[in-house]
Amino acid sequence: MSIDTAPMIGILGGYGRVGTAAARFLAAERGYRLRIGGRSAEKAWRFARELGDCAEAAVVDARDNQNLTHFTRDCVTVLDCSGTAFSLHGRVRASVLAADAHYVGMTDDGGSRTPAGACSAVLFTGLSGTLAGWVPRWMAEGLDSATRFSGWWGGLGAIPPHTAVSCLLGKRRAVDLPGDDRPDAAPVCGGEGPRAEARPGPVPQEFGSPAPLPAQAVAVRRVLPEELRQQAYLLRLREAHWHEVLKGPGVPAFLDRFTLQHPAAGDGRALMAAARELAKASLRDAAGSSPYQVMYGTLDGLTPEGTPVRRSALLHSTDVTGLVGVIASITAHEVTRGRVSPGVHIMAATLPPRATADWIVRHLPRTTAQTTEARPVNRA
């Protein structure tokens, strides 16, 4: 494909941390023209020249609807890494969709999830929830059925304010589960939302306790994210468990306060203030430490031959920005290639299961993303 006829992806905030990472990955995949957008002409042009012939630069202010419409012209997809989506009350998404382009937002704008029009909109809902929804799909590929998922996510590192917004919006939609911190003590896909229909027959118990939690955690939170509830229903899981393992004291203490105060859903100013406080707490926790993200999960199920198996998945990355950039870039890739249906989606439901892991290890060679499989030992 000639670069002149390749589909165009516009990147708002294209010279920011996540935007830069996503643009580099998309350029490395080839097959796209990239429009690097932001309020600084100098920064946009400098980065576009660095990317080469596939990239151009444009000055754009996401707060100016006419300016944004002009930026969107000729774009198949707009990848929004600007961090303005929530503070602008979803106007960026609405403007892009009105211009007949797809929208991928790296900040949950808190807007309606009701489908509208012929284009797709995909929203990032925070790293914990996105992993909780994607990983079971990754491990379930090729199985005849799945029965039980258990996983945990932990990390240390600075949380940008716009990412913190997605995190806090995700907390509102998640179900906090009190009580025992053991994975096998969590209820079956409890809380609000559809409940997974149980398959006939007993749940396989050949493997013992799933997804052991790491030691030396300051706080362990049992939650059931919206993204995992959705996949538990679609995969018809009998059990679905998720833990967030927090290492520093500041973030757990803040989340406790946020849960008690719980700003009203329409109070955008209070939520933005809370996001800034969460970002500051993460900076204090991470001071003097190297950033990382770790996810571990297990899925029990049956092969097409009826054999019980347990699959385990491990994701470990020291490039937190790069990991979010990969998630952004492959989502933009899938949307641009027409593989995401019209309507509004959460990112966890649109990430291609195996291809996402392939993109992670290809573009982040120091990151581990792997699965293993075990079968019960025949004691006869």
Side-chain angles (χ1 to χ4, degrees):
M1 178 187 297
S2 166
I3 192 64
D4 295 328
T5 60
M8 174 81 78
I9 297 176
I11 306 178
L12 293 170
Y15 49 77
R17 292 177 62 192
V18 173
T20 295
R24 291 190 194 281
F25 302 149
L26 287 167
E29 291 290 324
R30 304 186 182 277
Y32 295 108
R33 290 178 293 153
L34 303 176
R35 180 173 291 162
I36 306 302
R39 286 183 284 176
S40 169
E42 180 184 356
K43 291 178 180 178
W45 279 111
R46 185 187 306 138
F47 183 48
R49 285 195 297 269
E50 185 181 329
L51 291 174
D53 293 341
C54 70
E56 61 183 58
V59 176
V60 59
D61 186 343
R63 297 169 298 182
D64 185 325
N65 190 63
Q66 185 175 355
N67 193 222
L68 186 57
T69 300
H70 181 75
F71 174 83
T72 305
R73 189 173 300 157
D74 299 326
C75 290
V76 177
T77 300
V78 170
L79 171 59
D80 183 5
C81 302
S82 67
T84 61
F86 182 79
S87 61
L88 293 178
H89 309 290
R91 293 199 300 271
V92 179
R93 188 210 317 180
S95 179
V96 170
L97 295 177
D100 292 324
H102 303 299
Y103 177 78
V104 175
M106 295 311 294
T107 303
D108 188 344
D109 59 20
S112 171
R113 301 278 178 86
T114 304
C119 292
S120 305
V122 183
L123 305 176
F124 180 66
T125 53
L127 199 51
S128 173
T130 298
L131 293 176
W134 164 63
V135 170
R137 297 170 55 231
W138 178 27
M139 289 193 288
E141 278 200 329
L143 293 181
D144 179 69
S145 62
T147 53
R148 176 171 65 170
F149 169 76
S150 178
W152 59 266
W153 164 85
L156 192 64
I159 304 173
H162 58 275
T163 303
V165 169
S166 293
C167 170
L168 295 178
L169 288 171
K171 295 295 180 193
R172 282 178 169 168
R173 298 186 177 103
V175 178
D176 288 316
L177 302 173
D180 196 333
D181 281 336
R182 294 179 295 111
D184 57 359
V188 178
C189 197
E192 60 194 62
R195 184 183 180 89
E197 178 184 350
R199 290 181 180 270
V203 177
Q205 298 291 335
E206 293 89 345
F207 298 102
S209 224
L213 295 168
Q216 301 177 336
V218 171
V220 177
R221 294 174 174 274
R222 294 175 58 229
V223 297
L224 210 52
E226 170 195 26
E227 299 88 342
L228 179 54
R229 296 202 304 275
Q230 184 181 94
Q231 293 309 314
Y233 175 73
L234 294 174
L235 294 172
R236 301 179 67 191
L237 297 176
R238 283 179 176 271
E239 299 180 28
H241 317 299
W242 189 249
H243 288 69
E244 294 177 345
V245 180
L246 306 173
K247 299 286 278 189
V251 170
F254 167 78
L255 292 175
D256 285 340
R257 294 195 301 274
F258 179 79
T259 301
L260 291 174
Q261 296 168 356
H262 220 304
D267 192 349
R269 184 173 298 179
L271 190 69
M272 290 298 294
R276 288 191 291 270
E277 187 177 346
L278 175 57
K280 291 176 182 177
S282 71
L283 274 172
R284 291 192 294 268
D285 285 352
S289 301
S290 298
Y292 71 91
Q293 299 286 324
V294 180
M295 186 287 309
Y296 179 73
T298 60
L299 182 76
D300 296 346
L302 298 175
T303 67
E305 296 75 32
T307 304
V309 295
R310 167 169 289 176
R311 288 181 173 173
S312 302
L314 172 66
L315 175 67
H316 180 277
S317 179
T318 57
D319 185 352
V320 180
T321 299
L323 182 59
V324 176
V326 168
I327 291 171
S329 60
I330 192 170
T331 302
H333 168 79
E334 292 292 304
V335 167
T336 304
R337 296 298 175 187
R339 296 172 186 154
V340 178
S341 61
V344 183
H345 309 270
I346 56 176
M347 208 161 281
T350 63
L351 290 169
R354 189 176 301 275
T356 299
D358 292 341
W359 274 54
I360 289 172
V361 297
R362 183 162 67 249
H363 294 294
L364 301 174
R366 295 184 179 179
T367 294
T368 299
Q370 63 184 28
T371 59
T372 56
E373 184 174 290
R375 303 192 178 203
V377 177
N378 187 353
R379 294 185 174 87

